[in-house]
Amino acid sequence: YCRRDWWDYLIFRKLKRRDLIEYNTSHISFITGTNINGLLPSKKYISIDYFDVTNFNNERNNPPILTYDYIVFGDIYLGRHPDLQIMYGDNYLDLERYYTKMCSFFTKLEDYFGMPVVIAAHPKSNYTNEFGHRVILRGCSTNLIVNAKLFLHHGSLSVCNAMLAHLRIIQICNYDFYVNEALIGFKSIMDRLSNIISAPIVNIDNELDLDEIMIQEIPIMSYERALNEYFRSANSVEHD
């Protein structure tokens, strides 16, 4: 042991459990939504809007940036996001294979729906032609999502905007999300969201059955419950 470890141990022994709970209990905690399960104890919780709720309310009545029908992909800059590169190294993902698979999947969607896929690029992204000929726009994700016909993602918190807009949500992954240490967490996020709002998870390495997905009703009531629990202030006005 080191002397600091021993000192910390003595302090811990002197403190009673009741004292530790008191020291770890805040006077006020601000939370998005209303669900306090799993949060640190607090004497008072104040429910506030997640920032995307505010952005949505500000953007919903603005004119659309794109004046045609499109599908939007909520990008998380997978493979090059600096936070993930710090955690897992620069080469944690085979980028050439990833973009090839994504573009192939987007082409199938475009052929099925008769409209293009547009990339709502992550704020830290710096794309060139990774997504082929597709439109890539950065800094305007809310407007793109609000006015889209369908929302795609694999772990983006911008899914909040898609729920607020009552869009059909399709979550996408491939086999890498089951085995790659850096991607397993995103698959877990999608699994939890699927349980909450019944959003399908599509493995793009498998054969697609879009007909089966599209006949399912959009689970608006589930969206509203999720928004109230995790994103929206208790005093927010619901989207009509």
Side-chain angles (χ1 to χ4, degrees):
Y1 64 89
C2 68
R3 295 180 64 183
R4 179 55 187 268
D5 290 339
W6 180 245
W7 179 250
D8 290 344
Y9 174 74
L10 289 176
I11 292 175
F12 180 80
R13 286 295 301 269
K14 286 180 69 66
L15 292 172
K16 298 178 181 178
R17 178 175 173 79
R18 181 176 59 190
D19 295 327
L20 290 174
I21 293 174
E22 178 66 22
Y23 294 147
N24 282 285
T25 300
S26 63
H27 289 279
I28 299 175
S29 289
F30 293 91
I31 63 168
T32 57
T34 58
N35 191 323
I36 63 173
N37 292 333
L39 299 181
L40 290 174
S42 181
K43 295 179 180 178
K44 182 178 182 180
Y45 295 98
I46 297 179
S47 175
I48 61 175
D49 283 332
Y50 182 60
F51 72 91
D52 269 347
V53 175
T54 301
N55 290 344
F56 175 84
N57 290 332
N58 292 336
E59 196 67 43
R60 59 191 294 191
N61 294 319
N62 288 339
I65 293 173
L66 302 178
T67 58
Y68 50 83
D69 291 344
Y70 59 90
I71 302 162
V72 65
F73 171 59
D75 172 54
I76 57 174
Y77 205 26
L78 198 60
R80 292 179 180 156
H81 193 292
D83 293 348
L84 292 173
Q85 288 182 324
I86 290 172
M87 293 176 63
Y88 300 104
D90 291 347
N91 300 314
Y92 68 85
L93 182 66
D94 184 332
L95 287 173
E96 183 177 356
R97 184 175 67 175
Y98 168 72
Y99 288 119
T100 297
K101 289 184 177 183
M102 292 293 287
C103 288
S104 176
F105 173 68
F106 290 162
T107 296
K108 292 176 183 177
L109 288 182
E110 289 164 341
D111 291 343
Y112 180 91
F113 289 103
M115 63 181 78
V117 172
V118 173
I119 313 301
H122 188 277
K124 293 183 179 180
S125 65
N126 184 26
Y127 288 120
T128 53
N129 62 347
E130 289 86 344
F131 291 104
H133 61 279
R134 295 174 179 88
V135 172
I136 302 173
L137 297 175
R138 190 174 62 180
C140 52
S141 294
T142 302
N143 187 285
L144 290 176
I145 295 170
V146 168
N147 296 289
K149 300 300 181 183
L150 177 70
F151 178 77
L152 313 171
H153 83 119
H154 41 216
S156 172
L157 283 173
S158 61
V159 69
C160 172
N161 284 311
M163 288 192 288
L164 287 163
H166 294 169
L167 293 184
R168 186 180 299 279
I169 297 168
I170 297 179
Q171 307 188 98
I172 55 179
C173 69
N174 59 36
Y175 285 123
D176 289 335
F177 283 75
Y178 294 84
V179 296
N180 187 315
E181 181 184 7
L183 306 187
I184 288 173
F186 292 103
K187 178 60 167 56
S188 178
I189 290 172
M190 288 188 281
D191 287 337
R192 291 197 297 271
L193 190 60
S194 180
N195 290 333
I196 295 169
I197 64 170
S198 302
I201 301 175
V202 174
N203 185 335
I204 63 177
D205 287 336
N206 295 333
E207 290 294 324
L208 302 177
D209 189 348
L210 291 170
D211 289 333
E212 182 178 346
I213 293 174
M214 295 307 296
I215 62 172
Q216 300 174 13
E217 292 186 5
I218 298 175
I220 293 175
M221 294 300 295
S222 295
Y223 287 4
E224 292 299 319
R225 285 194 296 270
L227 288 166
N228 290 336
E229 287 196 34
Y230 301 106
F231 295 99
R232 203 155 45 192
S233 159
N235 300 316
S236 292
V237 177
E238 292 187 4
H239 170 57
D240 53 24

